[in-house]
Amino acid sequence: MKTRNILLIAIITLLLSGCVVYSFYPLYTESDLFENDLLLGEWFEDDNQDVVFSGSDDSWNFTHPFVGDKNDGIRNKKRYVLSLTSNENDIVKESKFEVHVIKLADEYFLDFYIEDYGDDDNITLADLHLVPVHTFAKLTVFDDKLEIRWFDPEWLEDLIKENKIRVHHEDNGDFILLTAKPKELQKFVSKYVDSEEAFEDGLAVELFRKK
């Protein structure tokens, strides 16, 4: 099911969770991207993992998008489309995100961005107040498991208030939006890649490969 309402629910849930750092620009440039199959396939959350993007019984399905004509069978292996599917009370919901993998300071990172809002029918007032943003997370790859950890927004807020970090941003009193461009973002991420405090209270998800 690919409708505007379902995608909006996914975005609203993420934004109201208040547990990730938001960025206006992506973490990557085209030159940072490389072909890989690290995420390819279908993954499931641990039963004890808090659900953020959608409902229960979640499936995370990463695919490489087709390049040009689908009939050519050529896929872009530098990019993923993430389909998040949930099934609650026999109602299947799906949302799609664009995901890129880059490597910084010998660690993998993911950049998430909403792919589209579906069709333009039935635009609501809520639609006009939502702006897609990037979020980025540290990725650790095991044999049959992925660990994805987002930066803690409260940690970032404290650093900014105490003038311990300089990164372009806007603060409207409710949340901080990073406005730094990719190279500046990469310096910020690389500096704190090994900081436990940076990730300690941020969103964390474990995904297990479908057997």
Side-chain angles (χ1 to χ4, degrees):
M1 186 181 298
K2 187 178 180 182
T3 67
R4 173 180 293 272
N5 288 340
I6 289 174
L7 290 172
L8 286 175
I9 290 171
I11 297 173
I12 291 171
T13 303
L14 174 60
L15 292 179
L16 294 183
S17 69
C19 53
V20 296
V21 171
Y22 316 120
S23 175
F24 186 78
Y25 291 102
L27 184 61
Y28 63 89
T29 65
E30 287 300 317
S31 62
D32 296 315
L33 303 178
F34 58 95
E35 292 189 352
N36 69 89
D37 292 324
L38 293 171
L39 310 178
L40 197 61
E42 190 170 9
W43 304 78
F44 292 90
E45 294 184 13
D46 182 9
D47 291 339
N48 296 323
Q49 175 65 56
D50 291 335
V51 174
V52 174
F53 290 98
S54 47
S56 59
D57 301 326
D58 281 21
S59 166
W60 297 52
N61 189 24
F62 291 94
T63 59
H64 292 304
F66 287 100
V67 177
D69 190 345
K70 185 181 296 187
N71 294 326
D72 293 339
I74 301 174
R75 293 180 181 268
N76 182 356
K77 292 191 174 184
K78 294 182 179 181
R79 174 174 174 256
Y80 291 92
V81 173
L82 166 61
S83 298
L84 285 165
T85 305
S86 67
N87 188 337
E88 288 188 280
N89 300 322
D90 296 325
I91 298 176
V92 178
K93 299 179 180 181
E94 182 181 45
S95 55
K96 291 183 182 292
F97 291 79
E98 182 177 88
V99 181
H100 293 85
V101 181
I102 69 169
K103 198 167 188 178
L104 298 171
D106 294 324
E107 297 283 353
Y108 291 117
F109 280 84
L110 303 180
D111 181 286
F112 294 84
Y113 189 77
I114 193 74
E115 188 181 38
D116 61 52
Y117 289 99
D119 57 51
D120 290 329
D121 296 333
N122 303 317
I123 294 178
T124 68
L125 183 61
D127 297 5
L128 303 178
H129 287 75
L130 291 174
V131 178
V133 292
H134 292 265
T135 70
F136 41 85
K138 184 177 179 180
L139 170 69
T140 304
V141 181
F142 302 94
D143 289 339
D144 292 309
K145 185 177 78 170
L146 301 176
E147 183 182 84
I148 304 173
R149 300 176 68 192
W150 281 261
F151 281 96
D152 176 11
E154 292 186 0
W155 164 84
L156 176 63
E157 182 180 355
D158 289 342
L159 283 184
I160 290 175
K161 286 182 177 179
E162 295 168 6
N163 292 318
K164 292 182 177 179
I165 186 174
R166 286 188 176 184
V167 61
H168 284 87
H169 69 279
E170 293 293 336
D171 183 355
N172 68 358
D174 292 323
F175 65 90
I176 292 173
L177 173 66
L178 296 180
T179 55
K181 292 187 176 180
K183 290 304 180 183
E184 184 182 353
L185 285 174
Q186 290 177 12
K187 289 181 181 179
F188 159 71
V189 167
S190 297
K191 182 176 181 178
Y192 294 101
V193 67
D194 294 322
S195 169
E196 282 301 319
E197 290 183 354
F199 300 94
E200 187 174 7
D201 295 320
L203 171 66
V205 177
E206 285 187 337
L207 299 178
F208 298 84
R209 188 185 296 277
K210 181 179 180 179
K211 296 180 180 180

